[in-house]
Amino acid sequence: RHRAGSSSDSWSGGARKVPSRPPAAVMVPPVREPDAAGRQVMEHLRRLEERAAPGLAAQVMPVFLRDTATRLESLREAVRQRDGVAAHRVAHTLHGSAATVGAATMVHACAEIIREVRLGAFDGCDRLLGELDQDFESIRRVAESLRI
């Protein structure tokens, strides 16, 4: 039986050991299935169209595709220059656009980029930019195959 304050107490001496920094969370990227992001977006838009917004995909997707291509390039440049303010602003805008069309994996990657640039940790952003590129290409391919 263990009693507080006994010699086997790991906190002996009353001094509590506090780590100087919390351990960094290790994010393991999900396995990405080809065109999964595109199918996810189209399914999201299809559900919205069925509820009350016929033609939504045809209205939203051309704007999303055009604006996202430009924003990804702007984000890549901001990260390359280690411009935290610009990277945060563009990632936040992309986050909102991706959420609007139901691109959950892009939303997640944007949230991670926002977190990284707030911490000034730009090194992890290259992997996240790669994920955004993959998801965007998936969405573009699926939209084109459906002639949206």
Side-chain angles (χ1 to χ4, degrees):
R1 187 172 173 133
H2 175 77
R3 290 184 311 212
S6 70
S7 61
S8 65
D9 188 355
S10 62
W11 299 105
S12 63
R16 192 171 161 206
K17 296 179 183 177
V18 178
S20 59
R21 279 178 59 168
V26 177
M27 297 295 293
V28 178
V31 176
R32 293 180 172 271
E33 194 180 310
D35 292 336
R39 289 190 308 273
Q40 178 185 47
V41 166
M42 293 305 126
E43 181 57 33
H44 173 76
L45 293 174
R46 191 176 357 252
R47 283 192 311 266
L48 291 176
E49 286 182 337
E50 287 172 359
R51 280 193 230 153
L56 181 66
Q59 293 173 0
V60 171
M61 287 312 296
V63 175
F64 174 79
L65 294 172
R66 182 191 65 229
D67 291 353
T68 300
T70 302
R71 288 179 181 141
L72 283 171
E73 188 54 43
S74 296
L75 181 57
R76 192 173 290 101
E77 183 62 20
V79 167
R80 189 186 65 73
Q81 292 182 6
R82 296 186 176 268
D83 183 343
V85 173
H88 182 274
R89 180 179 39 78
V90 177
H92 186 269
T93 302
L94 275 170
H95 184 275
S97 297
T100 298
V101 299
T105 53
M106 287 186 75
V107 169
H108 176 75
C110 288
E112 286 297 306
I113 289 173
I114 291 167
R115 186 181 67 79
E116 293 291 314
V117 298
R118 279 184 180 161
L119 297 171
F122 289 88
D123 295 336
C125 291
D126 287 337
R127 175 185 59 81
L128 295 164
L129 283 165
E131 290 177 15
L132 285 172
D133 287 337
Q134 286 177 353
D135 289 342
F136 177 66
E137 285 306 311
S138 167
I139 293 164
R140 185 189 58 71
R141 276 191 307 272
V142 172
E144 286 177 359
S145 74
L146 297 173
R147 292 178 174 77
I148 295 176

